Amino acid sequence: MVLERLLFRRLVPRDGDAVDLGPAREVLHDGARRTVAALLLLCAAAAARAAPAAVEPCELPPRYGLTELAVRIVRTACQEHRLWLQPFIEADGRLAALAVTEAERAHLDDGSTQAWQRVARYWRESGTLAAMADTPGASACMAPYGQAAENDCRAFVVDQPWSAAFVSWVMLRAGVPGFAASPRHLDYVAHAWRDPASPYLYADPWTTRPAPGDLLCFLRGADAGRGADGLRQALAGQTPGAVRSHCEIVVAANPGGDRTLYLVGGNVLNAVTLRKLPLDPAGRLDAAALGRTGTPPPAGEDVPPSAGMEDAGAGPACSPGNPAACSFNRRDWAVLLQLRLDL
C-alpha cells in the first residue's frame, strides 16, 4: 500500500484539491497490486541467490575428478559421523549440535554400540593401541570383558587423546596404502614431510586449496602459535620439535560454491564431529574469518586441552562477557596433507 500512496500523491495537487479519479481508481488499485507482487518476487529471487541452500556434505555424490581412494576415505569418515548422531561446529565457530560423548554408555545411532566401546574399537583396529601398552588401562581395551576391564578401558578412553587413532582407523578402513598409523598426528605429518612414499603430500594450509580426502591439521596446547612456518622449521630440525597437534579429514570443499570446508574429526568435543570452516573466493582457508593476521599468536596462547579432549577451548579471551572471542575454529592451522592423486 505504500507504493499505492506514492502513485496517488502524483495525482493530487499540493493545494489539497481532490481529483475525481472515477473508474481509474480501480485500474490504479489493480496495477499497484501487480507491481507490488512483481517486486516481491524479484526480492525473493535475489534472496535465494544471495543465500545458498544449506548443504548436507555427507549426502553429496562424489565430486567429479575424485579418486576412488578419496571417495572411500570420505565415505568411511561420514559413516562414523552419522553413527555419532551428527554433531557439528558451525562456520562461525559455535557448537551447533552434540548428542553423545566418548565416556557414555549411551548407544550410538545403530542402537547397540556404546560410545566408549566405539572409541576402544578405533584404538584396537587402527593398530595404535600397542604403542600405548605402558599407559594405564590400555591393556584392558585389548579385551574389555568383565566389569574391572570395562572400567579400566573406559578410564583409558577418557584420559587419552584418540583423534589420531580415529584418523588412523579411517585410513586403514579405507585402504590407504603406506599410511603411517600412529597415536600421534605428528608421526604421519612428519612422514609426509620426509618420505616421498607417503600417501600424502605436505602443503601450506593457507595457500593451497583443500580437497576431499585431505587432512587439515592445527597445533595445540603449548605448540599453538608456531604457525605453518614454525612447524616446517621444527620438522627441519631448526627448532625444538612440535608435539601436540590435531588433524581432521576433509569430506567436502566448497560444494555448490558455498565457500565452506567440511571436516570430520575424532575426539572433537569428545565425539566424532563435523566442522565447517569458511573459505575465501579462491577456495582456500579464509584467513580474515579465522582470525589469522599474518603474525601468529605467541606460543602457548591456545587453551591447553583438558584430559583427553583435543578441542577444549576457544582462546583465553573467551568468556560470557566477551562472546566475540569464542570460536572453536580459530586454531593454529599449520599444515594441509594432500592425498596423492596417483594412488
Side-chain angles (χ1 to χ4, degrees):
M1 298 308 292
V2 173
L3 181 60
E4 184 180 352
R5 290 193 189 100
L6 291 174
L7 292 172
F8 273 124
R9 190 175 298 166
R10 297 183 62 86
L11 297 174
V12 177
R14 291 183 182 275
D15 59 10
D17 293 339
V19 176
D20 185 9
L21 298 175
R25 185 181 184 90
E26 292 303 320
V27 173
L28 183 57
H29 270 295
D30 186 58
R33 281 194 294 269
R34 292 183 181 181
T35 302
V36 171
L39 288 172
L40 289 174
L41 286 173
L42 287 173
C43 290
R49 287 194 297 270
V55 170
E56 292 287 354
C58 286
E59 303 301 327
L60 296 173
R63 193 175 78 182
Y64 176 78
L66 279 186
T67 65
E68 180 56 35
L69 181 57
V71 172
R72 292 200 304 269
I73 293 171
V74 169
R75 183 183 300 126
T76 304
C78 281
Q79 286 172 347
E80 289 305 298
H81 179 241
R82 293 190 196 97
L83 184 64
W84 283 78
L85 302 169
Q86 303 185 89
F88 69 99
I89 297 169
E90 266 294 357
D92 63 1
R94 309 299 177 90
L95 177 65
L98 183 64
V100 62
T101 57
E102 60 185 21
E104 297 181 42
R105 292 187 182 275
H107 290 154
L108 301 180
D109 192 52
D110 62 1
S112 60
T113 303
Q114 294 180 4
W116 73 271
Q117 292 176 336
R118 192 65 176 181
V119 178
R121 182 174 178 179
Y122 298 147
W123 280 108
R124 284 194 305 274
E125 296 184 358
S126 65
T128 57
L129 191 57
M132 306 292 289
D134 294 335
T135 305
S139 59
C141 288
M142 292 301 296
Y145 306 115
Q147 191 61 54
E150 282 194 13
N151 291 343
D152 288 348
C153 182
R154 285 181 72 190
F156 173 84
V157 164
V158 172
D159 289 344
Q160 301 304 317
W162 51 272
S163 61
F166 172 77
V167 169
S168 298
W169 183 89
V170 170
M171 296 302 158
L172 293 178
R173 190 88 168 180
V176 179
F179 185 80
S182 172
R184 298 196 325 156
H185 296 283
L186 196 64
D187 288 340
Y188 54 77
V189 170
H191 189 222
W193 169 263
R194 298 190 179 100
D195 193 342
S198 168
Y200 281 93
L201 303 174
Y202 194 101
D204 189 299
W206 300 100
T207 60
T208 310
R209 286 195 297 270
D214 292 351
L215 293 168
L216 182 64
C217 312
F218 64 78
L219 297 177
R220 62 188 184 91
D223 291 302
R226 290 173 179 258
D229 290 340
L231 179 57
R232 284 192 292 268
Q233 291 168 5
L235 291 171
Q238 299 170 2
T239 60
V243 175
R244 306 184 80 173
S245 55
H246 172 84
C247 298
E248 298 177 12
I249 301 163
V250 177
V251 297
N254 200 27
D258 71 350
R259 290 177 58 176
T260 304
L261 184 68
Y262 300 87
L263 307 150
V264 168
N267 204 20
V268 178
L269 299 170
N270 295 330
V272 175
T273 302
L274 183 139
R275 185 195 307 267
K276 302 179 183 180
L277 291 181
L279 297 174
D280 66 17
R284 298 172 298 223
L285 291 180
D286 189 328
L290 291 170
R292 186 175 189 259
T293 61
T295 302
E301 192 167 290
D302 201 359
V303 175
S306 60
M309 187 163 66
E310 294 171 286
D311 214 332
C318 174
S319 71
N322 187 22
C326 302
S327 171
F328 286 112
N329 288 341
R330 291 183 180 177
R331 298 303 185 190
D332 188 10
W333 300 103
V335 60
L336 177 70
L337 301 183
Q338 291 183 292
L339 184 67
R340 283 171 41 190
L341 299 178
D342 58 345
L343 296 176

